[in-house]
Amino acid sequence: MNTTNTSSNKKSSSLQNYTLRYLIVALLVVVAVWAGLFYAVILDEVYDNIDDGLKNSKILIEREAYANPDVLNTPEFGINQFKITPLPKGSYDFSNKLISTFEFSEYDDEDQPIRILETVFNDAKGNPYKLTIRASMVEEDELLEDLLTALVSLYVMLVVSIALLNRFILRKVWKSFYQLLDKLKNYKLGTGKAFTAPESHVSEFEVLGHELEDLLHRSEAIYSSQKQFIENASHELQTPLAISLNKLELFAENSNLPNEQMMEIGKISDTLNRLVRLNKSLLLLSKIENRQYADEEPVNFNELITQLTDDFSDLAEFREIKIDVVQQGKLSFPMNKGLALTLVTNLLKNALVHNHAGGMVTITIIHNSLSVQNTGSNKPLDDEQVFDRFYRSSNNEQSTGLGLSIVWSIANSYKLAVKYSYTGIHTFTIQFPDKR
């Protein structure tokens, strides 16, 4: 058994949100890839159309240069957006070279994108010329920007719309499942109320509901049987033990036995008393684990501890142990008052029983924790077994070995953290949920 009873720090999400999260991530990736591919295809198509226009212009210009040699005298870009530069005789590459660049626009007073085709051709006399043709990409560039904006908007709206639609659908589909969970949360064994699963249009949830009904029905029957057995067994044990103790007391009072025999009778009486306490403790453990203490109310631990320290003051004085209560805050928690009393009583009794004359017990209360420190043995307890049933670090006959197990069981039933530590003194700490 672990010495701590803490809930996992890992935050879990609902089934709807868990499914929706993976769906959104998948949509973001898939839609982004397809939007990127679509944009790349459109961009390639735009460049292809511009390049086709430049190649067509090249053919027309070369044809006109053959027919009209005056065209060759175009050293600068003009209205026709091309220029021809004479080249010296030599070997040239007559293929088309297409590049994208920027050129200053006087109208916009800024650089604008253009597409340029460069090639070499020979005139009618075989003289080489370099032909440079340019085409403005302003309209196409604005088209691509608008297309990109539209794609991004479509991408966002599509993902959001699909996510919202799926959330609505998932909520409707999983509605019966969450109704089933709510009924399970509110269901408690031993109340006598049968569990009825809500109707569902999903066959898997319908099967799950029926299986839970059968399972809880069997659990209710087993629980009732065990509860009755424990109560009967406890009662049957208590009766002969009580009778045996009474007979021993009467026998001791009405007989003139030697001191040695009287001491043996005293030992038998102590053993029977220990069996009585053991029986009560086991019954209490069973009731706690079966959650038979359903009634809850806000318990003021400051007042409870003050009351208990007064009750144990005589025992502490007899054992020469000093009890100090340090109140650093007000501790209140909703739970069964009887279990709260048992929780603190067992901690305090454990600190007194496993102590020595002249020792001390310090109880510290803050707004979300309760700790009990005590002197005692000069070695730590086994923190792996300290809360196990029948674990005892000494041969103290006053101990049943169940006190700390009861503490752990009560804390576990209310999801409280319990831990033991040793720093020269023994410390048991109960951590309550922080409600501040």
Side-chain angles (χ1 to χ4, degrees):
M1 182 185 297
N2 294 328
T3 60
T4 58
N5 175 32
T6 56
S7 59
S8 174
N9 292 325
K10 185 179 179 181
K11 292 185 177 179
S12 59
S13 57
S14 68
L15 187 60
Q16 285 185 14
N17 293 334
Y18 187 79
T19 307
L20 194 61
R21 183 167 66 241
Y22 280 98
L23 179 63
I24 290 175
V25 171
L27 281 173
L28 287 172
V29 174
V30 172
V31 177
V33 169
W34 281 107
L37 290 173
F38 177 75
Y39 183 77
V41 170
I42 296 299
L43 184 64
D44 182 70
E45 188 64 26
V46 168
Y47 277 114
D48 189 58
N49 287 336
I50 295 173
D51 293 345
D52 287 346
L54 289 171
K55 292 173 184 177
N56 185 65
S57 297
K58 168 201 166 184
I59 295 172
L60 295 176
I61 293 170
E62 289 180 354
R63 185 183 299 164
E64 184 65 22
Y66 270 85
N68 183 10
D70 292 338
V71 175
L72 297 173
N73 187 23
T74 312
E76 300 294 337
F77 289 113
I79 298 175
N80 295 323
Q81 296 295 305
F82 71 90
K83 69 177 181 179
I84 298 175
T85 306
L87 297 173
K89 293 284 187 179
S91 178
Y92 294 97
D93 182 8
F94 291 89
S95 63
N96 299 323
K97 295 180 181 178
L98 294 159
I99 58 174
S100 297
T101 185
F102 289 87
E103 186 179 76
F104 182 77
S105 171
E106 294 183 4
Y107 176 77
D108 294 320
D109 195 27
E110 63 180 5
D111 290 339
Q112 296 289 353
I114 60 172
R115 188 77 168 162
I116 293 178
L117 182 146
E118 292 182 349
T119 187
V120 176
F121 72 96
N122 292 327
D123 62 3
K125 297 179 180 179
N127 298 316
Y129 289 86
K130 178 182 179 182
L131 173 63
T132 305
I133 311 172
R134 67 182 182 183
S136 175
M137 291 180 57
V138 174
E139 292 182 2
E140 288 78 4
D141 188 60
E142 290 177 352
L143 174 64
L144 290 173
E145 288 180 2
D146 293 341
L147 178 62
L148 181 60
T149 303
L151 274 176
V152 171
S153 301
L154 179 63
Y155 172 70
V156 173
M157 291 302 297
L158 187 62
V159 171
V160 171
S161 299
I162 293 176
L164 291 175
L165 185 62
N166 273 277
R167 184 174 181 82
F168 173 77
I169 294 173
L170 288 174
R171 181 180 297 177
K172 190 172 183 179
V173 170
W174 290 92
K175 183 179 179 181
S176 58
F177 177 77
Y178 287 107
Q179 289 176 343
L180 184 63
L181 283 183
D182 289 337
K183 294 203 71 172
L184 276 175
K185 288 178 183 177
N186 297 323
Y187 179 77
K188 291 183 179 179
L189 283 172
T191 58
K193 296 181 180 179
F195 178 84
T196 305
E199 294 183 0
S200 176
H201 298 292
V202 182
S203 59
E204 288 81 1
F205 295 160
E206 191 76 19
V207 172
L208 177 63
H210 290 318
E211 291 297 325
L212 279 173
E213 285 181 0
D214 294 339
L215 176 64
L216 292 175
H217 178 73
R218 292 194 299 271
S219 298
E220 188 75 40
I222 294 171
Y223 170 82
S224 299
S225 175
Q226 287 182 341
K227 179 182 175 182
Q228 186 176 5
F229 171 78
I230 290 169
E231 291 176 351
N232 291 341
S234 174
H235 177 73
E236 293 299 324
L237 281 172
Q238 287 291 104
T239 301
L241 285 173
I243 293 172
S244 300
L245 280 170
N246 289 334
K247 286 185 176 181
L248 274 176
E249 290 175 1
L250 288 172
F251 181 74
E253 290 175 0
N254 299 323
S255 63
N256 296 318
L257 295 174
N259 289 335
E260 292 183 359
Q261 292 182 357
M262 290 296 291
M263 289 178 63
E264 291 299 321
I265 291 175
K267 289 180 181 179
I268 295 172
S269 180
D270 290 340
T271 301
L272 289 174
N273 277 313
R274 185 166 176 267
L275 282 173
V276 171
R277 295 196 305 273
L278 186 64
N279 184 51
K280 289 180 178 179
S281 296
L282 286 172
L283 178 62
L284 178 62
L285 270 173
S286 298
K287 287 183 176 181
I288 293 170
E289 291 174 356
N290 288 331
R291 301 185 182 277
Q292 292 179 230
Y293 295 90
D295 297 334
E296 293 183 4
E297 61 180 284
V299 177
N300 188 321
F301 280 87
N302 301 68
E303 295 178 358
L304 183 63
I305 289 170
T306 301
Q307 174 191 336
L308 285 174
T309 51
D310 289 340
D311 294 342
F312 280 94
S313 59
D314 292 339
L315 176 62
E317 185 178 351
F318 175 76
R319 296 180 63 89
E320 299 179 5
I321 298 171
K322 182 181 178 182
I323 301 178
D324 287 328
V325 179
V326 181
Q327 300 191 37
Q328 299 179 353
K330 182 179 179 181
L331 175 59
S332 179
F333 185 75
M335 62 185 298
N336 182 274
K337 193 166 185 178
L339 291 184
L341 181 65
T342 303
L343 176 73
V344 180
T345 299
N346 282 16
L347 285 174
L348 185 54
K349 188 182 290 184
N350 177 78
L352 291 171
V353 170
H354 300 284
N355 214 320
H356 54 74
M360 53 80 65
V361 174
T362 303
I363 304 173
T364 305
I365 311 169
I366 61 176
H367 72 279
N368 66 341
S369 73
L370 165 66
S371 66
V372 178
Q373 297 176 308
N374 68 281
T375 52
S377 62
N378 295 324
K379 60 180 182 179
L381 304 177
D382 187 343
D383 57 2
E384 293 292 329
Q385 301 182 31
V386 67
F387 294 106
D388 287 352
R389 296 184 183 185
F390 304 111
Y391 169 77
R392 291 193 294 177
S393 60
S394 64
N395 293 323
N396 193 327
E397 293 297 328
Q398 299 297 318
S399 172
T400 61
L402 291 174
L404 293 178
S405 295
I406 292 173
V407 169
W408 189 92
S409 184
I410 294 172
N412 184 55
S413 64
Y414 287 98
K415 296 181 173 58
L416 308 179
V418 185
K419 66 178 181 179
Y420 162 78
S421 62
Y422 178 77
T423 55
I425 57 176
H426 303 273
T427 304
F428 291 89
T429 304
I430 309 291
Q431 191 74 33
F432 293 79
D434 194 346
K435 296 183 179 180
R436 292 201 303 183

